[in-house]
């Protein structure tokens, strides 16, 4: 664990407030990426002028401090990056020190965390220095919490003057950030973010996977398709492996075969440029086993069920910012 260091102008500090499953996944990806960049310095420079190299992660409990330290410390390389893992009592000092603040807490915690005593000073722009350099960037990955929600908390609840508001960004990554295979959607805003901020955001999220920019009205659907989607595909993978086990394949082999087959199908679409429907047809020999299996899936309504799950999770996601959804799946069905 490295101690805080004097930063050069090309080094930014990023604080992750609430470094749980997602915070660990995102920091794992970024730390690995910084290490790879340092290992291949001859590559053409495509990075923004200043990169996040100093990281502060906060969590509530001492047990989580140990968990985050053991997950991330092996990825911190001296001369490349530094990391401090602190308890939530240090949220304000972490924000004070940071250029970029990633909100990785649960959606219902955002209000209390951003209005903690001392947070106003920690977030206030220092007008005695260069404004552009000192305006902090808050990136929220919290499901259902919109940019206007965050700005209202900062302006109305915390009392920050409008011209002192940090730059607020909503992004939706997924847990595959950990292996740098996230699908992250960044919420576009009007007026657009400054180019330098877009460049920095793109760099951050490109280090952990693919990045798309979409308007705010689609962010809940993106949360469902990309973030919850990891769990949806995991369930399908598990179901396919179960079928294999039922037909005699050992569990470990079945899990590996299901996962690699899913990866292969995804690769044919993403890298091979194949449309999913054409891919499905190419595998379906007339009178063969694939069409037999596919028709069972259609008769059982799998297509409709999967699409309905994406629609349902979109609705639930939209309710998470206002204190949480009650009776998930209850009143809407
Ligand atoms: N899980 C996912 O796949 C995805 C989640 N998201 C969003 O990401 C956010 C985080 O989700 P996830 O990582 O699953 O949640 P976790 O529960 O894994 O992580 C939340 C973290 O917040 C910490 N925490 C609690 N209170 C405080 C506090 N006052 N100050 C600082 N830290 C605190 C917790 O610490 P402790 O462990 O000590 O309680 C924990 O480490 C959510 O808003 C969710 O909507 C977005 C995309 C995908
Ligand atoms: O289920 C949830 O609420 C979180 C947000 C997106 C993925 N997991």
């Amino acid at each position: 664990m490295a101690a805080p260091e004097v930063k050069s102008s090309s080094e930014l500090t990023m604080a992750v407030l609430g470094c749980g499953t997602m915070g660990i996944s995102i920091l794992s990806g970024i730390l690995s990426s910084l290490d790879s960049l340092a290992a291949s310095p001859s590559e053409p420079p495509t990075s923004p002028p200043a990169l996040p190299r100093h990281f502060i992660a906060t969590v509530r409990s001492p047990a989580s401090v140990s968990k985050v330290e053991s997950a991330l410390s092996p990825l911190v390389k001296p001369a490349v990056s530094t990391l401090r893992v602190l308890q939530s009592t240090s949220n304000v000092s972490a924000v004070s020190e940071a250029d970029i603040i990633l909100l990785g807490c649960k959606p219902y915690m955002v209000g209390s965390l951003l209005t903690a005593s001392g947070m106003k000073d920690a977030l206030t722009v220092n007008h005695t220095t260069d404004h552009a350099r000192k305006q902090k960037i808050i990136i929220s990955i919290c499901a259902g919490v919109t940019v206007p929600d965050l700005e209202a908390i900062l302006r109305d609840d915390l009392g920050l003057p409008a011209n002192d508001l940090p730059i607020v960004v909503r992004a939706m990554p997924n847990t595959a950030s950990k292996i740098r295979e996230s699908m992250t959607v960044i919420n576009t805003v009007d007026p657009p973010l400054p180019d330098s901020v877009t460049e920095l955001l793109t760099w951050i999220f490109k280090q952990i996977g693919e990045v798309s920019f979409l308007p705010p009205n689609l962010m809940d659907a993106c949360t469902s398709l990309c973030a919850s989607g990891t769990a949806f595909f995991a369930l399908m993978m598990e179901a396919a492996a179960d079928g294999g086990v039922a037909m005699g394949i050992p569990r470990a082999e079945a899990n590996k075969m299901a996962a690699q087959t899913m990866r292969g199908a995804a690769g044919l679409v993403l890298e091979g440029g194949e449309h999913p429907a054409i891919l499905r047809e190419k595998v379906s020999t007339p009178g063969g086993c694939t069409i037999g299996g596919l028709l069972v899936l259609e008769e059982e309504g799998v297509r409709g069920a999967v699409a309905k799950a994406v629609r349902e999770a979109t609705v639930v996601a939209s309710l998470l910012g206002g204190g949480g959804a009650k009776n998930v799946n209850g009143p809407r069905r």
Side-chain angles (χ1 to χ4, degrees), residues 143 223 227-228 320:
T223 303
S228 304
L320 293 177

Side-chain angles (χ1 to χ4, degrees), residues 36-76:
S36 313
L37 272 181
S40 48
S42 56
E43 283 184 11
T46 51
S47 312
L51 294 180
R53 291 191 180 278
H54 304 282
F55 301 91
I56 308 169
T58 68
V59 288
R60 189 185 47 82
S61 60
S64 292
V65 171
S66 307
K67 183 177 154 190
V68 177
E69 279 178 346
S70 44
L72 297 179
S73 295
L75 302 172
V76 177

Side-chain angles (χ1 to χ4, degrees), residues 14-125:
M14 181 171 180
V16 178
L17 303 192
C19 192
T21 303
M22 282 308 294
I24 292 172
S25 299
I26 291 169
L27 286 184
S28 299
I30 296 177
L31 287 166
S32 309
S33 168
L34 287 169
D35 190 28
S36 313
L37 272 181
S40 48
S42 56
E43 283 184 11
T46 51
S47 312
L51 294 180
R53 291 191 180 278
H54 304 282
F55 301 91
I56 308 169
T58 68
V59 288
R60 189 185 47 82
S61 60
S64 292
V65 171
S66 307
K67 183 177 154 190
V68 177
E69 279 178 346
S70 44
L72 297 179
S73 295
L75 302 172
V76 177
K77 299 288 150 59
V80 173
S81 53
T82 68
L83 170 73
R84 280 173 290 150
V85 186
L86 307 170
Q87 275 190 262
S88 46
T89 42
S90 298
N91 281 348
V92 170
S93 61
V95 167
S96 198
E97 222 179 294
D99 305 285
I100 306 162
I101 298 126
L102 188 118
L103 295 177
C105 60
K106 293 294 188 193
Y108 70 86
M109 296 174 182
V110 169
S112 59
L113 202 144
L114 285 181
T115 55
S117 170
M119 201 56 95
K120 186 174 176 185
D121 280 350
L123 283 169
T124 296
V125 174

Side-chain angles (χ1 to χ4, degrees), residues 33 180 184 200-211:
S33 168
R180 303 174 64 188
T184 301
L200 178 61
L201 287 171
T202 305
W203 184 88
I204 289 172
F205 287 106
K206 276 267 183 190
Q207 305 320 299
I208 55 169
E210 289 295 320
V211 179

